[in-house]
Amino acid sequence: MARITAGVGSSHVPLLGVAHDQGKERDDYFGPIFAGYDWTREWEKREKPDVVILVYNDHASAFDMKIIPTFAIGCGERYAPADEGWGPRKVPDVIGHPDLAWHIAQSLVLDEFDMTIINEMDVDHGLTVPLSMMFGACEQWPTTVIPLAVNVVTYPPPSGNRCWALGEAIARAVESFPEDLNVQIWGTGGMSHQLQGARAGLINPEWDNRFLDLLEADNDAVRHIPHIEYLRETGSEGIEMVMWLIMRGALGPRVKTLHRHYHVPCSNTAIGHIVLAPD
Amino acid sequence: MSHTDIHAYLAEFDDIPGTRVFTAKRARQGYHLNQFAMSLMKAENRERFKADERAYLDDWAISEEAKLAVLARDYNALLDMGGNIYFLSKLFSTDGIAFAEAVSTMTDMSWPEYRQMMLEGGRSPEGVRSIREGR
C-alpha cells in the first residue's frame, strides 16, 4: 500500500534557482538561506521517497490566460523545465508517475474534486526550485514527481478550507493505491511577499511564523484564514501559502515537526521551510 | 458549506493600499496585454520585439495607452490596465533586469534604496493593511 510519510513546505523563489545554478549557494547573501535546507537534504537522502506530490503554482509558463485550471494534476510521463524568458534552467527533466497520478486523479473526481488532467506541460521555477532546494545538484532527480498546479494568480484562488480538504482527499487516494510506495507531499510558495505596486516589498515575519505555528498545531484552524487576511498581512503574492494547506491537510489531524527554518530576505520574499510527519 | 458573498469579497480588495488584486475584471481588461507579454517566452519573439518594439506591439489588440506604457516600462500604469505581474515579468527578463529591480520601479524608491529595505527586513505591514481602518 502506498503511504504519505512526510510533508514539506517551502518557498520557491526563482532567484534560489539562479543561486543554485550559478554556484552561489554559500555566499554571504544566499548562505543563510541554503543553510536552512542542509538538514532536509540529508534527511531526503535517508528517506528516499518514491514519489513526491508537488503542489505549486505555474507563473504564466505552462498556463497563460487562455486556460486557468483551479486544481490541475500532471499525469504525464515527463516534464521539461520551462523557458521563463531567459532560457530553461539546466536541471534534469522531471519524471512523472502516471500510474499513481491517474489513480489519484480518478479517486479525486469520484471524491467530488473535479480535477483538470494534464498530460503534457513544461514546469517552471515553482516546481524545479523546490527540487533543487531539497536534492541539490544531480544528474537526475532521485524521485518521481506528480505535479499538482493550483491557480493562485487569477482571483479567486481556492479557499484555504478547500485546499485542506483536497489534501485529505489526496491522502485517501494514496492509501488506496495497492503498490508499496513511499510518498511525500510538498506545498510550495510564499511566504510573505508582494511583487507589485507601491506596497511592494512587504514582509511580515510575525504573521509568517504564526502560520508555521498553526501548521504544527493539532487542529485545523489554519484552513479558515480568509484570502483577505493573506493579502493584507502577507502581501499580494503571500496568497501562495494556501498551497501549503493541501500538504498539511494530507498529513492527518496530528503532526510532528522534524525541521523548521525562516529567513528574510530572498529577493522580494520571506523564505519559509518546514518538514512535518504524520503523528 | 460556508457561502461567501462575492460582492463583499471583491469590495475588500480595494481597501488594501498600493495593491491591485488580479480580479476577473482586471484579467478581462488586460487579456491581450498579458498574452503579448506571454509571447516573450519564446526566444525568437524576444528578438523580434527587441529589434522593433513598436512594430511588435502593433500586432496585438491592445490600446495605444498600454502600448506607450510598455514602451516606457511604466509597470504601475500597466497594472492599472489589467497587466499581471507574472506576465509582465516576461518583459523584465527580455530586458535582462532582475525581478526585484523591476519591482522597485513601482515603489517610491530607487533600486538601491529598495534593495537596502529588503536587506533590512522588508516593508513593514504597519499602516498599509487597510485604508479604511488606517492600520
Side-chain angles (χ1 to χ4, degrees):
Chain A
M1 189 184 85
R3 67 214 179 280
I4 292 180
T5 58
V8 175
S10 175
S11 304
H12 60 215
V13 182
L15 190 61
L16 291 175
V18 176
H20 169 79
D21 299 348
Q22 297 182 355
K24 295 179 181 167
E25 286 195 9
R26 303 296 153 178
D27 74 10
D28 289 347
Y29 188 87
F30 292 106
I33 299 169
F34 282 87
Y37 288 81
D38 286 343
W39 183 92
T40 314
R41 285 182 178 179
E42 291 305 310
W43 171 79
E44 287 287 14
K45 282 178 198 163
R46 298 193 302 275
E47 289 293 307
K48 298 185 176 63
D50 299 302
V51 189
V52 169
I53 300 167
L54 208 161
V55 182
Y56 76 111
N57 64 295
D58 178 83
H59 304 75
S61 303
F63 305 125
D64 58 14
M65 293 307 295
K66 286 182 188 165
I67 300 173
I68 307 170
T70 297
F71 294 122
I73 183 167
C75 296
E77 299 279 353
R78 63 195 300 141
Y79 312 91
D83 180 346
E84 299 179 55
W86 54 87
R89 287 190 67 203
K90 291 182 175 49
V91 292
D93 280 4
V94 173
I95 306 302
H97 197 299
D99 287 344
L100 179 60
W102 271 111
H103 171 81
I104 293 172
Q106 295 172 87
S107 303
L108 288 175
V109 173
L110 293 177
D111 216 352
E112 301 182 348
F113 286 87
D114 304 319
M115 304 296 289
T116 297
I117 311 295
I118 306 168
N119 285 309
E120 286 186 39
M121 68 169 170
D122 292 345
V123 288
D124 73 11
H125 69 267
L127 189 132
T128 64
V129 164
L131 288 170
S132 293
M133 298 310 287
M134 257 47 90
F135 298 126
C138 38
E139 294 286 310
Q140 56 186 47
W141 300 116
T143 179
T144 60
V145 175
I146 298 176
L148 201 150
V150 181
N151 166 45
V152 290
V153 174
T154 303
Y155 275 70
S159 68
N161 186 52
R162 190 65 176 157
C163 287
W164 182 289
L166 176 64
E168 292 175 325
I170 289 170
R172 288 192 291 273
V174 168
E175 282 160 20
S176 67
F177 190 71
E179 199 179 327
D180 187 26
L181 292 174
N182 178 2
V183 180
Q184 293 185 359
I185 182 163
W186 299 359
T188 72
M191 295 186 84
S192 52
H193 64 307
Q194 173 150 339
L195 302 177
Q196 51 119 338
R199 203 174 71 136
L202 186 132
I203 298 284
N204 191 342
E206 293 77 21
W207 197 99
D208 287 342
N209 277 288
R210 199 156 60 241
F211 183 80
L212 293 170
D213 292 344
L214 285 170
L215 292 176
E216 295 176 340
D218 293 337
N219 64 61
D220 64 354
V222 69
R223 71 196 290 180
H224 300 298
I225 297 171
H227 289 162
I228 188 69
E229 183 173 335
Y230 290 98
L231 286 160
R232 288 193 199 281
E233 297 286 344
T234 76
S236 48
E237 279 62 47
I239 191 67
E240 290 178 348
M241 282 185 271
V242 296
M243 294 186 290
W244 294 38
L245 303 184
I246 298 174
M247 174 274 286
R248 180 61 189 84
L251 299 181
R254 289 169 53 88
V255 291
K256 56 183 179 227
T257 304
L258 304 181
H259 181 63
R260 175 169 162 172
H261 171 65
Y262 186 77
H263 176 82
V264 176
C266 178
S267 185
N268 304 282
T269 306
I271 297 295
H273 172 43
I274 195 165
V275 182
L276 302 168
D279 192 20
Chain B
M1 182 67 69
S2 64
H3 175 74
T4 301
D5 176 340
I6 189 168
H7 306 293
Y9 174 89
L10 294 173
E12 283 192 293
F13 296 161
D14 294 329
D15 181 49
I16 308 171
T19 304
R20 288 94 159 168
V21 179
F22 193 60
T23 55
K25 186 179 170 191
R26 288 203 170 90
R28 289 179 64 184
Q29 185 192 5
Y31 183 86
H32 293 289
L33 171 63
N34 289 321
Q35 292 299 83
F36 144 74
M38 190 75 190
S39 73
L40 300 175
M41 292 270 288
K42 290 199 171 79
E44 62 267 31
N45 289 345
R46 292 196 286 272
E47 290 314 310
R48 272 183 52 222
F49 176 69
K50 282 193 265 197
D52 188 341
E53 295 195 2
R54 178 72 214 201
Y56 190 91
L57 284 164
D58 283 340
D59 285 344
W60 293 85
I62 59 181
S63 68
E64 180 64 19
E65 194 187 5
K67 287 176 189 174
L68 294 175
V70 170
L71 293 171
R73 305 297 193 266
D74 184 345
Y75 290 112
N76 276 325
L78 291 169
L79 291 173
D80 283 334
M81 289 180 257
N84 173 273
I85 200 63
Y86 292 123
F87 288 82
L88 297 177
S89 74
K90 314 305 178 194
L91 202 49
F92 314 162
S93 39
T94 299
D95 287 343
I97 68 166
F99 205 113
E101 182 176 353
V103 168
S104 74
T105 69
M106 292 175 253
T107 69
D108 60 3
M109 285 174 224
S110 68
W111 165 226
E113 287 166 347
Y114 181 85
R115 187 178 156 83
Q116 190 58 33
M117 174 183 78
M118 294 317 298
L119 287 172
E120 290 168 4
R123 184 187 304 280
S124 166
E126 214 51 56
V128 290
R129 294 180 175 95
S130 165
I131 298 167
R132 189 178 60 236
E133 296 169 25
R135 64 184 175 100

